[in-house]
Every structure is written in C-alpha cells, then in structure tokens.
Amino acid sequence: MTTVERAFELARSGECESVNALRQRLRREGYDAVHLHLHGSSINKQLVDLIHAARGGSALA
C-alpha cells in the first residue's frame, strides 16, 4: 500500500484526530518521506474532510 493510500485509509478510519497525527502514525508505521507524499493544500483538505467526517464532525472548513 502506498503512503497516500494508507493516509486515506487512516483518515477514513477515524483513528487519527488530525492530519499531523495521521502523518506521525504513518512515520511510526515505517512510511518514508511522508511530508513529500502529503504535501499540498488539496490533499491536506481532502484528508481533513475525511477525518472530520469519520469522527462525526462537519466536513466543511
């Protein structure tokens, strides 16, 4: 599974409360260059929206 695929999986799971927590989790799981794979406003917004939706919050930012 790629870094981005795992990031989206974690975001949908509700296990991470923020994108920063998600990045830390990926690093702990052994993914390399997480900052390069998850850099950019578009992917960041997608992850934020998924995290909020998974945790029962509003996806609107």
Side-chain angles (χ1 to χ4, degrees):
M1 183 176 291
T2 69
T3 303
V4 173
E5 289 171 332
R6 181 64 176 140
F8 277 88
E9 182 178 76
L10 285 171
R12 286 186 195 99
S13 75
E15 294 178 32
C16 298
E17 68 276 1
S18 67
V19 174
N20 284 335
L22 187 147
R23 288 180 178 147
Q24 290 172 359
R25 171 84 177 260
L26 288 168
R27 285 186 204 99
R28 282 194 308 271
E29 291 183 5
Y31 287 91
D32 293 324
V34 171
H35 62 287
L36 295 176
H37 292 285
L38 303 183
H39 179 73
S41 60
S42 178
I43 194 165
N44 191 63
K45 177 159 179 17
Q46 290 175 60
L47 292 170
V48 167
D49 289 347
L50 287 171
I51 290 168
H52 283 242
R55 296 177 66 83
S58 171
L60 301 175

